[in-house]
Amino acid sequence: MNESLLRELVPAVIGVLVRRGADFAAAEDAVQDALVEAVRVWPEDPPRDPKGWLVTVAWRKFLDAARADVSRRHREARVEDEPAPGPAGAVDDTLQLYFLCAHPSLTPASAVALTLRAVGGLTTRQIAQAYLVPEATMAQRISRAKRTVSGVRLDRPGDVATVLRVLYLVFNEGYSGDVDLAAEAIRLTRRLAARIDHEEVAGLLALMLLHHARRPARTGPDGRLVPLAEQDRGLWDTRLIAEGVEVLQAALGRDRLGEFQAQAAVAALHADAPTAEETDWVQIVEWYDELVRLTGSPVARLNRAVAVGEADGPRAGLAALAGLDPALPRHTAVTAYLRERDGDLATAARLYAEAARSAPSLPERDHLTRQAARLNARLRG
Amino acid sequence: MAKYLLLKHYRGAPAAVNDVPMDQWTPEEVSAHLRYMQDFAVRLEGTGEFVDGQALSPEGTFVRYDGEGRPPVTDGPFAETKDLIAGWMVIDVESYERALELAGELSAAPGAGGKPIHEWLEVRPFMAEPPTVTE
């Protein structure tokens, strides 16, 4: 059975049920049930028309649930016979689902979970495994999210920025479990980009492709983090890079810059450098200037300081750190790096050790501990 | 989302406000306390924030490697050990502030006299996965 085909169909099938009169929460539940049945039945008995099969089974599940609900409440059934499909309508069901699942009334984690289920077609169990929480907890998170958006009408497009925020979170903040969340985020962003002509959707897609291209080089065989400058660039996926650059160029050509395009531009400049030494840091600083102008984000300013350190020397980089809150994540690690570049090894070693103690992830902590150990060994020798 | 460990200590945390040993409570107070803890976990499952919870026996033993071919050495328990973990709960929440809020609620579990224990709980962040986008 082709699971990705099955999952591709999920948003459209939810859309059919909603057009037939089911509310979103009930439709989504019914399709999830049909999905679980498909996983069970299809390997033995694959349907000729997978979408038709899913619609039929999901609709039956919906009717069963509605009847159970109705009989519980001793009421007449509202929905009995299968109605003719409603007018196709000008709105794209799948696109509406993206907006609904990323609705601003949802917390980021709820929006992520709901998007992965209703748009991505993942099962609750898969999503729970991907985020290392029990299935019961994830089921509750999803059903609360559905209650939250139950009153939202699906008749006009929402804010694309909220959808992009959710997809970015899926890409950037997942665990490395059985479900490849980065690949899933790329799949969902590709489908969004095919449905909506928006430069920041393209910008985010380019950003994801350009970073995903480096994945084989980002960790060593023992799982250790390999910093960008030390990565084996021969391992970078040139096909993904070429696609990312093409998508980005088309987006930039529209002259409506946004934060994802600016971040993708930085990634593209890294991808363009045959060696770390040949990186065009001056241009990278310019893109960070844009990013800081667009977002005012302290993280962007921290990254800009690193780039300034490469373009104009470590003193300039340290000066660019001025005014930033030292409690900012990775601030100490960046300071340590710039101090080392400036030749102050003792301070750098101390700061690397300090950064290791407050590192937000294990690979980063190990990396920073090794940096401190390397400098301390040099200082002793 | 970020995961946090809420740690409950037998020993090693500052003294609670309502600091009466559990065996001095009435049976009803003990039951009320246990029910509160259970309800708390159920409620967090309902909000999609519960990950795990376990209690530990106070009996513990120190163990260490003692060289090739030799069985590990055991020692203890040490009466003077400063820190003794009683149990934990793992939560998956939107923010650090939310973790503190939940720890505060857990610390309000009723004790002697049916009054909140105001027990000190330790909140420790889990190490996350490194982000994909780093520059």
Side-chain angles (χ1 to χ4, degrees):
Chain A
M1 181 190 50
N2 185 341
E3 195 193 318
S4 65
L5 166 73
L6 179 63
R7 288 171 45 204
E8 290 287 334
L9 296 170
V10 165
V13 177
I14 293 175
V16 171
L17 265 64
V18 168
R19 261 181 285 122
R20 283 180 181 178
D23 69 74
F24 164 68
E28 206 277 334
D29 272 337
V31 174
Q32 179 81 188
D33 289 346
L35 203 62
V36 170
E37 192 159 326
V39 171
R40 191 171 59 82
V41 172
W42 287 16
E44 294 288 310
D45 185 14
R48 276 224 310 272
D49 171 12
K51 185 179 171 187
W53 187 99
L54 274 179
V55 168
T56 305
V57 173
W59 185 249
R60 201 180 65 227
K61 300 272 184 198
F62 166 70
L63 288 182
D64 288 349
R67 280 197 197 97
D69 196 33
V70 164
S71 65
R72 257 203 311 277
R73 289 188 267 144
H74 304 289
R75 278 212 217 123
E76 290 293 327
R78 297 160 305 179
V79 209
E80 275 300 333
D81 302 317
E82 185 165 325
V91 281
D92 174 340
D93 293 330
T94 303
L95 188 56
Q96 297 296 346
L97 275 185
Y98 273 97
F99 286 119
L100 184 68
C101 295
H103 196 267
S105 61
L106 296 170
T107 61
S110 304
V112 161
L114 193 54
T115 298
L116 288 174
R117 206 171 99 144
V119 188
L122 291 173
T123 63
T124 303
R125 170 173 300 191
Q126 286 174 311
I127 302 166
Q129 281 169 351
Y131 287 96
L132 305 182
V133 299
E135 192 175 343
T137 294
M138 189 51 80
Q140 289 294 335
R141 200 179 283 176
I142 290 168
S143 75
R144 277 169 73 93
K146 291 204 296 189
R147 279 202 299 279
T148 303
V149 297
S150 63
V152 175
R153 284 172 51 183
L154 275 170
D155 56 354
R156 59 198 164 106
D159 179 4
V160 77
T162 62
V163 178
L164 297 182
R165 192 53 49 207
V166 169
L167 296 174
Y168 180 81
L169 272 181
V170 174
F171 181 74
N172 203 33
E173 286 180 18
Y175 296 88
S176 35
D178 286 344
V179 176
D180 185 343
L181 289 171
E184 182 64 15
I186 289 174
R187 188 177 74 87
L188 295 178
T189 307
R190 266 190 210 284
R191 280 167 71 197
L192 181 64
R195 284 181 160 79
I196 190 168
D197 190 20
H198 190 288
E199 59 286 344
E200 275 291 87
V201 177
L204 178 61
L205 178 59
L207 175 67
M208 289 177 177
L209 293 169
L210 289 164
H211 276 276
H212 204 54
R214 288 188 221 150
R215 185 154 77 164
R218 205 160 41 218
T219 43
D222 54 358
R224 77 167 65 181
L225 217 58
V226 183
L228 184 54
E230 293 164 30
Q231 286 177 15
D232 175 358
R233 298 182 177 218
L235 294 176
W236 289 359
D237 186 327
T238 49
R239 195 182 52 84
L240 284 180
I241 289 173
E243 188 191 350
V245 167
E246 193 184 321
V247 170
L248 175 64
Q249 275 170 347
L252 289 175
R254 302 171 61 164
D255 214 15
R256 288 166 58 97
L257 189 62
E259 57 174 307
F260 292 120
Q261 294 169 80
Q263 283 190 73
V266 170
L269 284 166
H270 284 302
D272 200 36
T275 64
E277 293 69 35
E278 290 168 88
T279 307
D280 187 346
W281 287 106
V282 173
Q283 258 208 80
I284 289 178
V285 171
E286 286 169 11
W287 281 111
Y288 276 125
D289 288 338
E290 294 285 0
L291 195 58
V292 169
R293 183 180 60 78
L294 286 164
T295 66
S297 143
V299 175
R301 290 178 56 203
L302 186 66
N303 290 332
R304 180 182 171 280
V306 177
V308 168
E310 301 293 346
D312 301 327
R315 294 282 167 89
L318 288 165
L321 284 175
L324 278 174
D325 182 357
L328 196 65
R330 301 181 178 89
H331 185 286
T332 310
V334 167
T335 313
Y337 175 74
L338 291 168
R339 289 281 178 209
E340 182 187 354
R341 293 284 315 275
D342 195 34
D344 184 355
L345 302 194
T347 305
R350 182 177 56 73
L351 289 172
Y352 273 130
E354 187 185 323
R357 279 192 294 276
S358 61
S361 80
L362 218 47
E364 283 168 274
R365 187 187 73 185
D366 296 346
H367 172 71
L368 293 165
T369 304
R370 278 193 200 97
Q371 299 290 66
R374 175 178 58 79
L375 290 186
N376 283 326
R378 263 179 71 186
L379 287 164
R380 280 193 305 267
Chain B
M1 294 292 265
K3 292 190 176 65
Y4 291 88
L5 179 69
L6 309 185
L7 270 181
K8 191 178 160 77
H9 296 250
Y10 283 119
R11 243 195 341 255
V17 174
N18 184 6
D19 194 17
V20 181
M22 213 165 172
D23 56 10
Q24 307 293 317
W25 304 358
T26 69
E28 293 72 28
E29 284 164 2
V30 172
S31 300
H33 176 81
L34 297 176
R35 196 162 50 242
Y36 184 96
M37 304 301 280
Q38 217 163 31
D39 290 351
F40 185 81
V42 169
R43 186 159 60 82
L44 284 204
E45 195 171 279
T47 57
E49 296 173 309
F50 180 78
V51 179
D52 189 23
Q54 297 289 337
L56 293 174
S57 154
E59 296 303 317
T61 308
F62 281 92
V63 184
R64 71 165 174 80
Y65 177 60
D66 197 39
E68 191 63 43
R70 284 205 278 222
V73 180
T74 62
D75 206 353
F78 298 105
E80 70 275 20
T81 303
K82 287 204 293 289
D83 197 19
L84 195 54
I85 306 297
W88 72 77
M89 188 175 284
V90 178
I91 57 177
D92 190 31
V93 291
E94 204 70 60
S95 64
Y96 177 63
E97 288 67 32
R98 176 65 176 158
L100 292 186
E101 183 185 345
L102 289 175
E105 287 175 28
L106 193 59
S107 161
K115 301 271 197 328
I117 305 176
H118 299 272
E119 177 181 25
W120 289 97
L121 298 174
E122 194 180 350
V123 178
R124 301 277 302 271
F126 271 49
M127 288 283 189
E129 284 284 296
T132 310
V133 181
T134 49
E135 84 258 350

